Amino acid sequence: MPLRPFHLALPVTDIPVAKEFYGLKLGFIEGRSSENWVDYNFFGHQLVCHVGETNSFSNKVDGKDVPIPHFGILLEWEEFDNFFNKLKENDIKFVIEPYLRFEGLPGEQKTMFFKDPFGNALEFKSFKNDRDIFRKDQ
C-alpha cells in the first residue's frame, strides 16, 4: 500500500501567532485558512492549527463542533467509502457523521470524526483531488 499523508490537528489560542511560528519561523507553506484554523504543508503531511481554548477542546467548522486535538489519514476517494462501510458494520459511533465539504470547489473533500475507546479523536478524510490538499484558493 502506498504511503498516504497523515492529518494532525492541534489546538492554538491565536491564529496570527500560529502563522508567525509555523509559517514564518518554521517555513511551512500555508494552505487554506479561516479566522478559526489554518492548514500547513508539514513535509507533505497536513498539519492544521485550530483555535481552541484549553478547556473547550473543540472548534466550530461548518457549524459542527470539531474535536481538537485529532489526527487521521487522508484516504483515497473510493477508500473513504469502503472504510466508512467497515465502521458502520462495526457499530462505530460518530462524533461527526461523514459529509462532503466544498462540493464542486477546489478542496472538495469527505470527512468523518469518531473517538477511540480512550477518548482520542480521529478524523478520516479524502480529497477528490490530491493536488488540492494544500491549495489556498477556493
Side-chain angles (χ1 to χ4, degrees):
M1 174 185 305
L3 184 63
R4 298 288 300 157
F6 72 77
H7 165 80
L8 176 64
L10 302 173
V12 300
T13 57
D14 188 302
I15 291 296
V17 171
K19 285 183 173 189
E20 180 181 347
F21 181 76
Y22 288 102
L24 296 177
K25 292 185 178 179
L26 299 185
F28 297 157
I29 296 172
E30 182 180 324
R32 287 181 308 280
S33 67
S34 79
E35 66 276 358
N36 292 319
W37 54 268
V38 58
D39 287 347
Y40 285 101
N41 182 339
F42 181 70
F43 301 98
H45 301 283
Q46 189 184 44
L47 174 67
V48 185
C49 299
H50 280 275
V51 172
E53 297 298 326
T54 55
N55 60 357
S56 73
F57 300 106
S58 70
N59 183 20
K60 286 280 189 198
V61 176
D62 297 339
K64 297 168 177 44
D65 284 319
V66 170
I68 50 173
H70 65 261
F71 70 98
I73 293 291
L74 304 179
L75 300 169
E76 295 284 350
W77 193 252
E78 296 79 22
E79 188 179 14
F80 181 95
D81 297 324
N82 294 334
F83 189 58
F84 167 64
N85 289 331
K86 181 177 184 175
L87 297 173
K88 281 194 327 187
E89 289 171 6
N90 286 288
D91 296 317
I92 299 297
K93 305 297 180 233
F94 292 94
V95 173
I96 297 175
E97 293 278 338
Y99 75 103
L100 184 63
R101 302 181 69 204
F102 309 122
E103 186 172 4
L105 300 171
E108 182 174 349
Q109 60 190 268
K110 302 175 196 175
T111 185
M112 61 182 152
F113 289 83
F114 57 91
K115 291 186 178 179
D116 72 8
F118 310 100
N120 297 304
L122 292 88
E123 177 186 18
F124 289 85
K125 61 195 310 185
S126 177
F127 283 81
K128 182 114 183 194
N129 193 319
D130 279 354
R131 74 174 176 263
D132 291 339
I133 292 172
F134 301 110
R135 187 171 175 169
K136 290 180 82 162
D137 59 324
Q138 291 290 342

